[in-house]
């Protein structure tokens, strides 16, 4: 029997999404499309229809589009990156053709790059029915030398300019839980979380098995995922993988429910110690 992912509501968008989503960064650029198709099959069976990608993720988006061409069952979240209007339109038209769709479910301004003009453009596409929902993503200030800042994100959320925000959040990097998450929750803006495992870095030094058992967890990845889900404003956690068994394990972890406050505090301490150790290497 396949376990299905619990769901949460993004109030402003008015839709329910699985609390576990499928990320594609550094995983869906894999050359074996049959292997990636197995991941999508496992996602479909587990009710994980949310998949997030971007044109700048190497071959990830072309691979995903080839596998999901004209497939309307998946909720596709992708991004625009350019600040030149002509380039933005050209990339978007290519995405529509590649997916075999007349609209994209969620289109996000990647790392807030050119966000003022791009959000105006997104609003026009939404009004025309070519975009279902609008969003922005934020990892850190001026990511990759481009994009916006924490202050920009704060303004976007305060003015409720988008339906979703996607942010970097994990037990070792929890700063955005202090201001952005509460503000998004108040506005009803959906929150997608990237890097729940610190792009894999936090998994390099797992705690003792007995310690995990005391938390009510089987694995360190389960503890980290359930830590994110302990933030009530989070709609979905994006877990990038190219292995069906990892997808199923993440769904099983989510079904165990969020960590309690005491358990979450313990996970925070350990995760921050891992991050500190890695920084000293």
């Amino acid at each position: 029997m396949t376990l299905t992912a619990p769901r949460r509501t993004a109030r402003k968008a008015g839709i329910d999404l699985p609390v576990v989503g499928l990320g594609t960064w550094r995983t869906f650029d894999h050359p074996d499309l049959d292997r990636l198709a197995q991941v999508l099959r496992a996602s479909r069976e587990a009710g994980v229809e949310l998949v997030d990608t971007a044109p700048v993720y190497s071959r990830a988006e072309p691979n995903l589009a080839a596998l999901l061409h004209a497939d309307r069952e998946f909720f596709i979240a992708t991004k625009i990156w350019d600040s030149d209007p002509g380039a933005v339109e050209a990339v978007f038209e290519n995405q529509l053709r590649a997916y075999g769709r007349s609209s994209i479910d969620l289109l996000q301004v990647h790392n807030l790059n050119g966000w003022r003009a791009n959000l105006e453009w997104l609003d026009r596409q939404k009004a025309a029915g070519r975009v279902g929902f609008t969003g922005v993503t934020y990892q850190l200030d001026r990511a990759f030398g481009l994009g916006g800042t924490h202050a920009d994100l704060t303004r976007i959320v305060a003015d409720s300019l988008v339906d979703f925000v996607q942010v970097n959040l994990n037990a070792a990097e929890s700063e955005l839980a202090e201001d952005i998450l509460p503000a998004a929750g108040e506005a009803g803006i959906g929150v997608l979380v990237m890097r729940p495992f610190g792009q894999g870095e936090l998994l390099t030094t797992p705690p003792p098995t007995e310690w995990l058992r005391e938390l009510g967890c089987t694995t360190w990845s389960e503890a980290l995922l359930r830590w994110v889900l302990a933030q009530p404003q989070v709609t979905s956690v994006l877990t990038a993988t190219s292995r069906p068994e990892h997808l199923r394990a993440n769904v099983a972890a989510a079904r165990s429910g969020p960590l309690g406050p005491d358990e979450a505090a313990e996970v925070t301490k350990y995760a921050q110690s891992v991050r500190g150790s890695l920084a000293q290497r």
Side-chain angles (χ1 to χ4, degrees):
M1 177 179 175
T2 301
L3 299 177
T4 57
R7 304 180 76 84
R8 287 184 178 177
T9 301
R11 294 202 323 275
K12 185 180 180 188
I15 59 170
D16 292 339
L17 291 173
V19 299
V20 173
L22 179 62
T24 59
W25 167 242
R26 291 186 174 177
T27 54
F28 262 63
D29 51 1
H30 198 285
D32 187 348
L33 291 188
D34 288 340
R35 178 173 170 178
L36 299 180
Q38 291 175 20
V39 177
L40 291 173
R41 191 177 306 114
S43 297
R44 195 191 307 270
E45 292 170 353
V48 178
E49 77 274 17
L50 165 60
V51 58
D52 178 83
T53 191
V56 294
Y57 289 178
S58 186
R59 290 290 305 168
E61 181 155 54
N63 286 345
L64 182 69
L67 292 167
L68 294 183
H69 185 79
D71 186 334
R72 294 295 305 182
E73 289 187 30
F74 277 82
F75 183 97
I76 294 174
T78 187
K79 306 173 184 77
I80 52 173
W81 167 263
D82 300 279
S83 53
D84 175 73
V88 168
E89 183 68 32
V91 169
F92 180 56
E93 290 289 350
N94 184 62
Q95 288 170 321
L96 292 175
R97 285 193 298 271
Y99 287 110
R101 292 179 168 210
S102 60
S103 66
I104 296 295
D105 297 305
L106 169 59
L107 195 57
Q108 305 156 96
V109 179
H110 204 173
N111 292 321
L112 300 172
N113 194 36
W115 66 268
R116 291 176 179 84
N118 279 335
L119 286 184
E120 291 178 358
W121 178 85
L122 275 176
D123 284 340
R124 294 195 296 272
Q125 307 315 307
K126 183 177 179 180
R130 301 211 300 168
V131 169
F133 304 103
T134 64
V136 295
T137 76
Y138 171 83
Q139 181 175 337
L140 48 87
D141 285 4
R142 309 298 182 190
F144 309 106
L146 295 169
T149 65
H150 189 157
D152 294 329
L153 181 63
T154 299
R155 176 179 173 183
I156 290 167
V157 172
D159 292 344
S160 196
L161 298 181
V162 293
D163 302 305
F164 287 89
V165 294
Q166 182 178 152
V167 295
N168 171 44
L169 184 72
N170 57 62
E173 300 171 283
S174 60
E175 296 83 1
L176 296 180
E178 299 172 4
D179 57 353
I180 297 300
L181 262 61
E186 184 175 345
I189 294 172
V191 176
L192 307 181
V193 168
M194 67 174 110
R195 293 171 52 96
F197 309 131
Q199 204 164 304
E201 291 183 347
L202 295 179
L203 299 176
T204 59
T205 312
T209 301
E210 185 57 36
W211 186 82
L212 288 169
R213 287 200 193 102
E214 291 175 0
L215 294 178
C217 297
T218 303
T219 65
W220 182 221
S221 60
E222 175 190 342
L224 290 169
L225 192 148
R226 292 174 63 190
W227 181 94
V228 177
L229 293 177
Q231 320 307 313
Q233 303 90 355
V234 170
T235 308
S236 186
V237 186
L238 302 171
T239 57
T241 184
S242 60
R243 299 178 62 176
E245 62 270 26
H246 286 175
L247 185 282
R248 296 187 188 100
N250 291 333
V251 170
R255 286 176 61 87
S256 295
L259 292 178
D262 293 342
E263 292 79 8
E266 290 297 314
V267 169
T268 297
K269 290 178 184 177
Y270 189 87
Q272 289 178 345
S273 72
V274 172
R275 186 186 186 193
S277 297
L278 292 172
Q280 294 173 7
R281 292 180 182 177

